[in-house]
Amino acid sequence: MILLVQNSELYNNDLRAMIMAFYPGEKLTAMKPMDVASIGRELHNEFTLCFTALFDEKRTLLKIEEKAMVKFSAYISGDFTDRKKFRNRLKLASYQLLSEFTGRVLPWGSLTGVRPTKIAINGIRAGFSDEDIITEYERRYAATTEKAALALQVAKKETAIFEAEEIDTGRDYALYIDIPFCPSRCLYCSFASHPIASYKYKVPDYLKALESELQFISYVNRERRLISIYIGGGTPTSLGELSLDNLLTTATGYFDLSHLKEFTVEAGRPDSITAEKLEILKKHKVTRISINTQTMKDATLKVIGRAHTSEQFLRAFEMARNAGFKNINTDIIAGLPMEKLQDMDRTLSYIKRLRPESLTVHSLAIKRAASLREELDTYRDYINFDTKEMHALAAEYAKHMGMKPYYMYRQKNIAGNLENIGYAKPGMECLYNMLIMEEKTDIFGAGAGASTKLVNPVRGNVERIANSKDVDDYISRIEEMLDKKRESIGNIRIPD
């Protein structure tokens, strides 16, 4: 358990994120200085550490205490109320103190944001040299040269693809459709996902509400070009054949698909895939699917609640190839409970034989809404929180498979403070994955748990409009959610 003491909560999220980067999954308690005095020394000793931040308009004191003894401290000069100038300096100083205290060097240093490539992309746009961009990562954030170079490589790839595809912020948009049903809930999952066995009777009503939202989205974008459709969740293929067919008919029926560059459907759970469902996907001209094993170790699959075997994954992949799919992605996770480097090597060796077009390597994240967070004490000793070698191995395999990194993002409480990274063969990259990270175009989200992101290039900001995550709530309040979108877009209503 960790104690965070602060006299201002202006940087509460930043300090929490920095501490959790070193102590993923640990419980953190926040207090004001005046409340700390009420804690007896005996109780104080129960905390792994106490991190204190005392903000002042002239200088800020940071200190780390262990068993009520100060171990490390530092002062930061400047006015803490000037968030734009002060924030990165605070995060860097906090990182350096925590690094000294733990003896650990994190690969991304003080960077805790979701989009580590943003710095490189801004540098490329400004005309900075590669050396200057890498130096910025190292100097301002204490990131390693290796991670700085990776961010730059991904940023260059994204920039080249956006230019080649001639993406236009005002003209183009993407569509995300959320199907919040799964065969079972994974231990690490924090998404709005419901067991299909319990919710199958609600699927018709859900698809009806979803149709209303898709009709609205198609109307307000009738003068624009739809360039990408991504159906995720949950697991879209957990729907029965008839429901899946109805979903895809609706998803394509209201839209002009003449400018569509890709159409992705997540078939992420091998136990949800049938030959009939694959035929339905092909009939509706789906161009890319994702079949995810996460690991090829059956014992781990059972622990994390995947409810499928490695053999089922191999059969599902073969069925997809036989059905004619030429762009298949597969996901794996580094740092799963009970997994060691040799297990990752075995998983990657199987995937290499399958020759997928892309590979997404996730780092295990201890997410707040996941069952793993609640049961962390049970699994803590079985989780590899330092997955650097696993990621290095995956990068080597990807290279041998002819893939290069093309998109990347990070999450809170991620194992090893690393990243999630997508590798793909040239020409097989998922455009949607890059659009959602770099916020290049509007992305309209439909379904329970989906978010709409409206890009404003003039103000340089992104407005987010979130749908309810609860299936019943989404069904009963669909009109209310459409009204929220109408307010943001300009009170546009679909004529009767």
Side-chain angles (χ1 to χ4, degrees):
M1 190 161 57
I2 295 169
L3 177 61
L4 171 60
V5 180
Q6 49 191 343
N7 62 341
S8 169
E9 294 191 354
L10 184 60
Y11 298 96
N12 180 60
N13 291 338
D14 296 306
L15 291 174
R16 282 176 176 270
M18 200 72 265
I19 294 169
M20 290 299 99
F22 285 89
Y23 295 93
E26 283 276 357
K27 183 178 179 181
L28 188 148
T29 299
M31 289 187 178
K32 294 180 180 179
M34 65 179 66
D35 298 326
V36 176
S38 64
I39 300 178
R41 186 179 183 87
E42 183 178 337
L43 183 60
H44 200 293
N45 289 341
E46 292 182 8
F47 290 102
T48 305
L49 67 93
C50 173
F51 189 103
T52 300
L54 300 178
F55 297 96
D56 186 84
E57 292 181 359
K58 292 185 178 180
R59 67 176 188 173
T60 293
L61 169 65
L62 300 179
K63 62 180 179 179
I64 293 178
E65 296 170 84
E66 185 180 38
K67 299 188 184 304
M69 298 290 292
V70 176
K71 295 294 184 178
F72 296 95
S73 63
Y75 282 102
I76 310 172
S77 61
D79 184 358
F80 79 97
T81 62
D82 188 347
R83 185 171 171 81
K84 187 174 182 180
K85 291 183 179 179
F86 192 81
R87 182 175 181 239
N88 284 329
R89 293 171 58 203
L90 171 68
K91 289 174 64 178
L92 180 59
S94 301
Y95 166 75
Q96 289 169 336
L97 282 185
L98 287 161
S99 181
E100 286 186 81
F101 179 74
T102 62
R104 294 181 60 203
V105 174
L106 303 184
W108 288 103
S110 63
L111 267 176
T112 56
V114 172
R115 300 161 56 201
T117 56
K118 185 178 181 180
I119 299 158
I121 287 176
N122 290 339
I124 291 170
R125 290 172 180 166
F128 295 153
S129 68
D130 291 0
E131 183 179 352
D132 287 341
I133 292 172
I134 290 174
T135 299
E136 176 75 354
Y137 278 97
E138 296 171 329
R139 180 185 62 81
R140 194 170 185 183
Y141 304 99
T144 64
T145 304
E146 176 189 12
K147 292 304 178 186
L150 175 61
L152 179 59
Q153 182 183 6
V154 171
K156 284 184 173 182
K157 185 70 173 178
E158 288 179 341
T159 301
I161 291 174
F162 288 152
E163 289 178 355
E165 296 289 349
E166 298 181 336
I167 305 299
D168 184 284
T169 301
R171 178 190 63 183
D172 301 330
Y173 75 103
L175 172 64
Y176 173 79
I177 302 172
D178 195 289
I179 305 301
F181 308 113
C182 267
S184 63
R185 187 170 180 83
C186 297
L187 184 68
Y188 50 78
C189 181
S190 64
F191 293 110
S193 178
H194 307 273
I196 188 65
S198 303
Y199 280 78
K200 61 183 178 181
Y201 298 110
K202 297 180 181 180
V203 169
D205 288 338
Y206 180 81
L207 294 181
K208 184 178 179 181
L210 182 63
E211 182 174 4
S212 297
E213 190 167 23
L214 291 172
Q215 185 183 10
F216 169 81
I217 291 171
S218 69
Y219 182 81
V220 299
N221 291 291
R222 60 195 180 281
E223 303 296 331
R224 304 176 71 190
R225 306 198 326 180
L226 177 60
I227 59 173
S228 174
I229 299 176
Y230 193 107
I231 304 181
T235 306
T237 47
S238 65
L239 297 176
E241 282 82 359
L242 180 59
S243 294
L244 181 62
D245 194 21
N246 290 339
L247 165 67
L248 293 172
T249 298
T250 302
T252 57
Y254 286 110
F255 297 89
D256 176 6
L257 305 182
S258 60
H259 301 288
L260 199 65
K261 298 177 183 293
E262 65 177 13
F263 188 175
T264 296
V265 173
E266 288 187 2
R269 292 288 293 268
D271 47 328
S272 73
I273 299 172
T274 65
E276 292 76 16
K277 291 179 185 179
L278 291 168
E279 288 178 10
I280 291 167
L281 297 179
K282 287 297 291 183
K283 181 182 74 173
H284 289 282
K285 296 181 171 51
V286 171
T287 60
R288 180 180 180 271
I289 62 173
S290 188
I291 306 175
N292 307 326
T293 184
Q294 313 303 9
T295 176
M296 292 296 285
K297 186 176 179 179
D298 286 340
T300 305
L301 289 171
K302 187 174 181 179
V303 166
I304 63 177
R306 287 291 285 182
H308 69 82
T309 65
S310 56
E311 183 61 33
Q312 283 178 297
F313 165 71
L314 296 174
R315 288 201 302 268
F317 201 100
E318 183 182 7
M319 278 196 297
R321 282 294 192 222
N322 292 337
F325 284 96
K326 294 180 170 56
N327 192 349
I328 304 176
N329 170 77
T330 191
D331 288 8
I332 59 175
I333 299 178
L336 288 171
M338 302 170 56
E339 295 275 284
K340 297 182 178 179
L341 185 62
Q342 56 263 39
D343 298 310
M344 174 68 86
D345 189 31
R346 180 175 177 273
T347 294
L348 287 164
S349 66
Y350 271 102
I351 290 173
K352 184 180 178 181
R353 287 176 231 163
L354 295 175
R355 302 171 66 183
E357 281 63 47
S358 59
L359 170 69
T360 306
V361 184
H362 297 272
S363 295
L364 181 68
I366 315 297
K367 301 176 185 178
R368 184 179 60 185
S371 299
L372 180 57
R373 180 66 175 268
E374 298 175 4
E375 302 176 41
L376 187 59
D377 289 342
T378 302
Y379 295 99
R380 187 184 301 278
D381 293 340
Y382 303 100
I383 296 175
N384 180 1
F385 286 103
D386 187 3
T387 56
K388 182 179 179 181
E389 290 183 335
M390 289 184 173
H391 272 271
L393 185 64
E396 192 65 26
Y397 267 93
K399 183 178 179 180
H400 285 303
M401 289 187 284
M403 300 178 187
K404 294 183 178 180
Y406 77 96
Y407 96 107
M408 176 170 56
Y409 69 100
R410 303 184 66 226
Q411 297 167 284
K412 293 179 181 178
N413 302 336
I414 202 167
N417 194 39
L418 288 162
E419 68 281 330
N420 303 317
I421 185 162
Y423 300 90
K425 295 178 180 178
M428 295 297 181
E429 301 88 357
C430 178
L431 181 61
Y432 176 85
N433 284 338
M434 293 181 285
L435 292 174
I436 194 70
M437 283 299 109
E438 303 310 329
E439 298 171 337
K440 185 75 175 175
T441 63
D442 291 345
I443 296 178
F444 281 80
S451 290
T452 292
K453 299 172 74 172
L454 302 178
V455 179
N456 189 317
V458 177
R459 291 199 301 265
N461 67 344
V462 176
E463 181 180 357
R464 290 169 174 80
I465 312 162
N467 286 346
S468 173
K469 295 181 179 181
D470 182 83
V471 169
D472 294 313
D473 203 37
Y474 174 79
I475 293 170
S476 63
R477 295 176 51 219
I478 183 62
E479 286 302 322
E480 181 183 328
M481 280 171 262
L482 295 184
D483 284 340
K484 284 174 62 178
K485 287 186 172 67
R486 288 186 184 104
E487 290 176 12
S488 298
I489 297 168
N491 294 317
I492 302 173
R493 290 188 176 275
I494 301 176
D496 294 331

